[in-house]
Amino acid sequence: MSAPLIVSIPHALGREEAMRRIKGGLDRAAGSLPVLKLDETRWEGDRLLFRVRAMGQAASGAVDVADDQVTVQVTLPWLLQKFADVAQQAIRSRGQLLLGKPK
């Protein structure tokens, strides 16, 4: 098993607004990446547990929402490890868009 990929995204929205945006933007984000399929999502308090599939490989992870940051942790199977840097950049950039300026 590989080490998890961890991305922290600071925000100034507060926990409730960040969760609202994540809930509303999750399907849009997955839909914008054609190689990524969202298999399962489950909220447990301030934590979103998820399972995705890319290129026939499954990955699982969690999104922890705090008052001032969101932390995404994904464990990639070894076949997808070579895409870890690309995945980290995509998570960070999409997260910053989603959690950017207050609406």
Side-chain angles (χ1 to χ4, degrees):
M1 186 67 62
S2 60
L5 173 72
I6 299 173
V7 178
S8 293
I9 305 162
H11 66 82
L13 301 172
R15 184 182 318 245
E16 288 184 26
E17 175 64 12
M19 286 180 64
R20 186 187 71 75
R21 289 192 187 189
I22 290 169
K23 287 175 182 177
L26 194 59
D27 289 330
R28 283 192 318 269
S32 69
L33 297 169
V35 297
L36 188 68
K37 181 182 182 299
L38 195 55
D39 279 348
E40 174 185 336
T41 60
R42 183 177 79 245
W43 282 94
E44 292 181 356
D46 298 335
R47 174 175 255 219
L48 169 66
L49 301 170
F50 65 89
R51 182 174 165 87
V52 295
R53 193 166 291 284
M55 300 186 323
Q57 300 293 308
S60 60
V63 177
D64 291 300
V65 183
D67 291 331
D68 61 350
Q69 81 172 5
V70 169
T71 304
V72 180
Q73 180 174 316
V74 183
T75 302
L76 298 173
W78 68 273
L79 285 173
L80 295 179
Q81 278 296 306
K82 64 181 172 180
F83 301 107
D85 289 339
V86 173
Q88 188 172 30
Q89 290 171 5
I91 291 167
R92 181 170 284 115
S93 67
R94 292 187 188 281
Q96 288 170 340
L97 286 173
L98 188 63
L99 300 170
K101 298 177 185 174
K103 291 181 180 176

